[in-house]
Amino acid sequence: MQQFTPILLGSDINVYGMARSFHEAYGIKVQAWGASTLAPTRYSKIVDIEVHPGLTEDPEFIKVMREKIKEYKKHPEPVILISCGDGYSDANFPGFYNSSHISFMHDFPEMRGSQL
């Protein structure tokens, strides 16, 4: 099986559910990036939250994603970025899905498999 690194956007119950699914299926602890730490994931042992205030808004979202693309450029395995909330899935960021370093699974069918 190919190894990969899932990263979740958000910190709500949706993120907890996705983290639990990854943990049960692969035995891994998942990283999540969110605008704040919400109750469902705050004390979780299966997800690490990295807080970026303002992440659900432009220009902060774009700034953080550009930093993360640089950070993960030489990552040894594919990185799958999964949006778990509308604030992170909003199509406010046209033209940004064009990086070959991080795959972005989007809530809109036409965006699934797009690249950041």
Side-chain angles (χ1 to χ4, degrees):
M1 176 182 358
Q2 181 178 355
Q3 299 294 312
F4 63 96
T5 301
I7 299 175
L8 309 175
L9 290 179
S11 66
D12 63 7
I13 194 68
N14 297 315
V15 170
Y16 179 80
M18 290 294 293
R20 184 157 198 86
S21 294
F22 279 114
H23 183 73
E24 289 175 359
Y26 303 102
I28 60 175
K29 188 173 188 176
V30 178
Q31 185 176 18
W33 304 334
S36 64
T37 304
L38 298 176
T41 54
R42 184 171 294 136
Y43 302 110
S44 174
K45 294 180 178 163
I46 59 172
V47 61
D48 282 327
I49 303 295
E50 187 175 303
V51 176
H52 298 275
L55 187 62
T56 58
E57 303 295 326
D58 190 21
E60 188 64 20
F61 179 86
I62 300 295
K63 178 182 149 241
V64 170
M65 291 301 109
R66 287 186 174 143
E67 290 168 359
K68 293 301 181 179
I69 287 169
K70 289 177 188 172
E71 182 180 329
Y72 281 86
K73 189 170 186 167
K74 296 188 189 241
H75 194 69
E77 55 196 32
V79 176
I80 302 172
L81 187 62
I82 303 168
S83 174
C84 295
D86 293 343
Y88 304 101
S89 299
D90 198 356
N92 292 351
F93 313 110
F96 190 70
Y97 307 99
N98 61 3
S99 167
S100 61
H101 307 298
I102 299 176
S103 295
F104 188 83
M105 293 190 57
H106 207 277
D107 287 349
F108 300 102
E110 66 271 20
M111 296 300 291
R112 286 197 182 104
S114 295
Q115 302 290 312
L116 277 179

